[in-house]
Amino acid sequence: QKFINDNDDLKVAFIPIEFPLENDSVRDNDEEYRKDIENEFIRLLLAFKIDHSIITGTIEERVKKIISIYNESICAD
């Protein structure tokens, strides 16, 4: 909490689950577990009142949105 309070310019990009999980034999392929982890991230963001942007869309759209968010921050400084 102290880190968050001391860094009011902190920007967090949250990327929710939108695409099916590919079984790559490296990551756990349990969709229920995956959703539980996503819900825990959301809970923490809300519990600590962390300013965040939710990034959705295709991979290309997500990249553009993230670049836009961080460019706004850089230009504002």
Side-chain angles (χ1 to χ4, degrees), residues 42-55:
I42 293 168
R43 187 190 72 73
L44 291 169
L45 289 169
L46 297 175
F48 289 105
K49 298 179 180 158
I50 298 172
D51 185 25
H52 62 282
S53 297
I54 299 174
I55 308 299

Side-chain angles (χ1 to χ4, degrees), residues 55-57 60-70:
I55 308 299
T56 60
E60 293 81 12
E61 291 168 337
R62 290 175 177 200
V63 170
K64 287 179 184 176
K65 288 176 186 178
I66 291 170
I67 290 170
S68 173
I69 288 168
Y70 288 97

Side-chain angles (χ1 to χ4, degrees), residues 9-77:
D9 60 344
L10 179 68
K11 293 210 176 275
V12 174
F14 177 74
I15 304 172
I17 298 170
E18 290 187 282
F19 308 111
L21 183 63
E22 291 183 27
N23 187 354
D24 59 7
S25 299
V26 176
R27 294 174 286 182
D28 191 318
N29 62 358
D30 182 344
E31 286 292 338
E32 184 76 24
Y33 174 75
R34 184 180 185 211
K35 190 67 179 167
D36 288 345
I37 296 299
E38 178 184 65
N39 289 335
E40 184 64 14
F41 272 107
I42 293 168
R43 187 190 72 73
L44 291 169
L45 289 169
L46 297 175
F48 289 105
K49 298 179 180 158
I50 298 172
D51 185 25
H52 62 282
S53 297
I54 299 174
I55 308 299
T56 60
T58 65
I59 293 171
E60 293 81 12
E61 291 168 337
R62 290 175 177 200
V63 170
K64 287 179 184 176
K65 288 176 186 178
I66 291 170
I67 290 170
S68 173
I69 288 168
Y70 288 97
N71 275 344
E72 287 175 14
S73 175
I74 292 168
C75 293
D77 291 341

